[in-house]
Amino acid sequence: MKSIDLAYRTLYAELVQRGLDASFETDFSTAGNFVRVPVKGRDYWYFEETRPEKSRRYVGPAENPEIAKRVAAFRQIKDDLRSRRKLISTLTRDTGLAAPDPFTGDVVEALEKAGLFRLRAVLIGTVAFQTYAGYLGVKLPGAALQTGDADFAQFHSVSAEVDDSMPPIIEVLKAIDPTFRQIPHRADAARTTQFENASRYRIEFLTPNRGSDDHADHASPMPPLGGASAQPLCFLDFLIREPVRTVLLHRSGVPVLVPRLSASPSKLIVAARRERSAAAKREKDLHQAGLLVEALDVTRRRNDLAHAFAEAWERGDAWREALRKGLQLLQPDRREMVDLILGKTLDEAQIDLEGFTTRPK
């Protein structure tokens, strides 16, 4: 696994910060422009958009200082958008960092603008994994970054406590692709945790299930998520606790929340619990788990890795069984690599996990 040059790692960090700084609310889309229009000897500001069709909205007289200030600030925002697009072009062209496919990027961007991450939802799965290369400063194989869906997760406690909501998710998605439809939950037909378009691109919302598997048959209502519910999933709380802020390399950059970098135990557990019919997804989970272990080793973040495995191991018998199974499902060469790194990592952190079978003898 090769590291990315320090100069490009610095560019990525700058892009993340500027993307976060630009996360603000505005009445005007950056896809449009302010235009100065003379009317009967006076100049007035109008806001003009060309998508989906050309339109013009009245803003106010040009001599109004407050409006002039807003127009100037908007120009700075658009200049920064263009600058960030150039940064992304440099990063993807010169370093090989992966950008999401355009459709996935549009989906995540639309949900971000609708307030999904402001409401503390977390992007998970392969789309989130794509962001780790830039964040860690390493090159990840392209095969591990391909996907045909996007998954998001939120704690139910957060959803219940947040006194806010985003627009209806189905409307946000239909603005991207009118063929998106709601998929009724298998047990709660009145609720929706998944959305799908005509091309079978699927979006799913999940929430941690800290109780028994009995709850997995029922969709959990999530008031802030624009009419969407979430599918309860065991072990998910470990993954989305303490997420990190980063950016998806799409257009001018999409600020997102993704699971903490020491997510390898979660990917092993998810792989161990997948049905046999989901063999392709299980292999991807295992491959990504091994890559994360290797990346954290290369970037000298072994301490984070050690404590993540220790925390998962100490959560009880069900967690230990799932971890063991996930580790055994790794291909022999990957399992040997993980064994060596974890053994060294746990020794360095002076962590002794009784019965943890991956430690070298």
Side-chain angles (χ1 to χ4, degrees), residues 239-309:
L239 180 67
I240 66 173
R241 186 173 61 83
E242 300 174 353
V244 296
R245 292 190 177 275
T246 185
V247 64
L248 203 64
L249 298 180
H250 178 70
R251 297 186 187 274
S252 57
V254 183
V256 294
L257 284 172
V258 299
R260 52 183 172 162
L261 297 172
S262 50
S264 300
S266 293
K267 288 195 171 290
L268 290 172
I269 289 169
V270 168
R273 291 173 60 84
R274 284 205 187 274
E275 302 286 342
R276 288 182 177 272
S277 58
K281 287 191 173 183
R282 182 177 63 189
E283 287 305 312
K284 183 179 288 187
D285 289 330
L286 293 169
H287 186 46
Q288 290 178 359
L291 288 173
L292 269 179
V293 169
E294 187 177 357
L296 290 169
D297 180 49
V298 168
T299 57
R300 300 183 179 278
R301 295 172 181 256
R302 290 190 291 270
N303 196 54
D304 292 340
L305 182 64
H307 285 282
F309 269 89

Side-chain angles (χ1 to χ4, degrees), residues 14-258:
E14 179 186 345
L15 179 66
V16 172
Q17 186 58 54
R18 286 167 64 177
L20 293 174
D21 290 344
S23 297
F24 67 98
E25 294 182 10
T26 178
D27 294 331
F28 303 102
S29 166
T30 52
N33 286 289
F34 285 98
V35 293
R36 194 167 177 143
V37 180
V39 180
K40 295 182 179 180
R42 293 183 66 187
D43 285 353
Y44 294 87
W45 287 112
Y46 281 78
F47 187 74
E48 189 172 86
E49 292 183 272
T50 57
R51 293 185 303 174
E53 58 185 25
K54 189 169 182 176
S55 64
R56 182 177 283 182
R57 284 189 288 158
Y58 173 74
V59 179
E63 66 266 22
N64 185 311
E66 290 302 317
I67 293 176
K69 185 188 299 183
R70 185 71 180 271
V71 171
F74 187 81
R75 285 173 179 159
Q76 291 176 352
I77 292 165
K78 292 205 65 165
D79 286 344
D80 188 58
L81 285 173
R82 285 188 283 268
S83 176
R84 282 156 46 203
R85 287 192 185 100
K86 290 180 180 178
L87 278 179
I88 287 178
S89 177
T90 298
L91 287 167
T92 54
R93 182 186 65 245
D94 296 350
T95 69
L97 290 179
D101 68 87
F103 187 78
T104 295
D106 286 347
V107 166
V108 178
E109 182 180 45
L111 291 171
E112 185 272 330
K113 288 183 176 178
L116 183 64
F117 301 111
R118 178 175 57 81
L119 296 173
R120 292 164 60 190
V122 181
L123 174 66
I124 62 175
T126 296
V127 184
F129 189 81
Q130 292 176 347
T131 69
Y132 289 158
Y135 195 97
L136 285 168
V138 295
K139 293 183 180 180
L140 296 173
L145 308 177
Q146 299 173 6
T147 187
D149 52 29
D151 300 326
F152 305 87
Q154 185 189 52
F155 280 104
H156 183 269
S157 57
V158 171
S159 185
E161 293 170 4
V162 170
D163 186 21
D164 197 356
S165 179
M166 56 188 293
I169 282 181
I170 187 61
E171 293 182 11
V172 175
L173 296 177
K174 279 182 173 292
I176 303 167
D177 182 349
T179 70
F180 264 113
R181 65 184 180 91
Q182 302 178 82
I183 301 177
H185 190 270
R186 60 179 180 270
D188 298 321
R191 293 176 179 165
T192 298
T193 63
Q194 297 180 342
F195 301 81
E196 189 177 76
N197 70 357
S199 301
R200 306 295 298 274
Y201 189 98
R202 184 164 293 199
I203 293 161
E204 184 171 14
F205 293 89
L206 305 164
T207 192
N209 175 17
R210 292 179 174 176
S212 69
D213 282 343
D214 295 339
H215 297 293
D217 291 331
H218 300 282
S220 176
M222 308 289 279
L225 295 187
S229 297
Q231 173 65 42
L233 192 66
C234 290
F235 303 98
L236 184 63
D237 65 302
F238 182 86
L239 180 67
I240 66 173
R241 186 173 61 83
E242 300 174 353
V244 296
R245 292 190 177 275
T246 185
V247 64
L248 203 64
L249 298 180
H250 178 70
R251 297 186 187 274
S252 57
V254 183
V256 294
L257 284 172
V258 299

